[in-house]
Amino acid sequence: MPTSPETPALPTTRPPAFPTTRPPALPTTRPPGCPFDPPAGYAALRETSPVSRIRCPAGFETWLVTRYDDVRAVLADPALSSRGASSAHVKADLDPYEEADPGSIIQLDGAEHARLRKMVVAEFTVRRVERLREYVREQVERHLDAMLAKPGRADLVQDFALPIPSLAICELLGVPYADRELFQRQSSLLVSTDQEAGTTDQAFHELAGYLGKLFAGKQQDPRDDLFSKLIVRAEAAGESLDLDELIMLGLSLLVAGHETTANMIALSTLVLLEHPEQRAQALADPPRAVEELLRYLSVVQFGVLRYATEEVEVGGQTIAAGDWLIAALNSANRDEDRYPHADQLDFARESPRTHVAFGFGAHQCVGQQLARVEMQEALTALFRRVPGLRLAVPKESLAYKHNTLVYGPEELPVAWSA
């Protein structure tokens, strides 16, 4: 595929909304009774129309890319810009043509993105994250102690799955965990797909205001955390890193750093409760099990949006400059051509780490190593200490986050024997 300018420009006007014949809508409805599976329409599209024209809730047409190899190619191609935001296509009132804010590591491309990523990636390497493993393990054990002190029943989401990644990302970034109610509440609004624009804007400004005050303090009195280090390094190198950039960078890392992993821990727990015959195999090799769970569940449920800055070819289909594409991560991870019996959970699967649950290419999730450690420690300790864990309600009564960018159970009531 061809390469693109380092800072591709977005158009100043929208293309016509739709032709006379409108294409089908983005598949969003999961099969009844199958909470772990992506929409059934993806399998048919992979077979008959792997790069197909669809319409999305945001009111414009896109190309939907569903096969594994094509999704990887889309995510790796610098001619396909991330400027439109990761999942703008599912928010009806969001304008994907708006320019990215300074510091938005998810949306920026080229040199701007590389500069920000270089600043933070050193704190998310395998070696650095391994030094956090003991801290994560201590928090897992502490929260299990508190949960098991309850009279035989708890909500695994609020009592366990959500606190673990929240604590870890706070520890890494230097955000006081005591303020978790504020950032968890605002984060849930920001990842929702059906909030009114005013509600989302207010959540953004409240969280940005909070981080602005926090980072202004770090500029005056740096500590031993990621953002303090960024400030010190930038000053030492004579680089510019203003408060607005810090706020957007912090917001991106804070929201993504706990929302995705919290939902993965909760949904993975439910999967292991549903597959007790495979639990021992999973717990015998937690790293491999976590990779298969990431592939199988793919909680970033609506894919990621890309904008063609020039003409490219994807899966034999010519994509014109100015067109939008959706890389369907959950469809790619269920592609039978890449993963035989892809709809089956298989902890003995060869090379499960090739999945695209964290994306691929330049914008691949910077916090993926931390997410892996959190999942490994949380799931291993949970089933080691509570082997009799079970659902406290009928599984048919569970509600799921169909209206958020990140999928998972709303609540997960669990019980255990004394």
Side-chain angles (χ1 to χ4, degrees), residues 153-283:
R153 177 168 171 157
D155 173 15
L156 193 100
V157 172
Q158 292 298 323
D159 292 327
F160 186 68
L162 185 57
I164 302 307
S166 296
L167 277 158
I169 199 66
C170 284
E171 175 73 9
L172 189 66
L173 301 184
V175 175
Y177 183 65
D179 297 334
R180 63 190 179 279
E181 288 188 9
L182 182 147
F183 71 74
Q184 288 173 354
R185 180 176 66 253
Q186 309 305 354
S187 295
S188 66
L189 293 173
L190 291 173
V191 300
S192 173
T193 63
D194 57 6
Q195 295 292 330
E196 293 183 357
T199 301
T200 304
D201 288 345
Q202 182 177 352
F204 174 85
H205 289 300
E206 285 187 12
L207 188 51
Y210 165 77
L211 291 174
K213 292 179 181 178
L214 181 69
F215 295 153
K218 292 181 185 298
Q219 287 177 322
Q220 298 298 318
D221 183 19
R223 302 296 177 92
D224 185 25
D225 58 71
L226 185 149
F227 283 100
S228 292
K229 292 174 182 177
L230 291 185
I231 292 167
V232 172
R233 288 172 189 163
E235 290 180 354
E239 296 181 4
S240 172
L241 187 63
D242 62 29
L243 189 57
D244 287 341
E245 282 187 300
L246 277 171
I247 290 170
M248 278 304 303
L249 187 57
L251 193 147
S252 300
L253 295 175
L254 182 61
V255 174
H258 78 277
E259 281 284 349
T260 50
T261 311
N263 282 287
M264 271 302 307
I265 291 172
L267 204 58
S268 296
T269 299
L270 183 57
V271 168
L272 292 172
L273 290 175
E274 289 281 285
H275 294 84
E277 76 285 355
Q278 296 193 56
R279 199 180 303 158
Q281 184 181 13
L283 299 178

Side-chain angles (χ1 to χ4, degrees), residues 47-64:
E47 289 293 323
T48 62
S49 187
V51 182
S52 57
R53 199 72 170 166
I54 59 117
R55 67 181 188 273
C56 56
F60 57 93
E61 291 184 23
T62 74
W63 294 98
L64 180 64

Side-chain angles (χ1 to χ4, degrees), residues 282-295:
L283 299 178
D285 190 351
R288 176 179 286 272
V290 162
E291 299 307 321
E292 174 66 354
L293 288 165
L294 286 161
R295 180 203 70 84

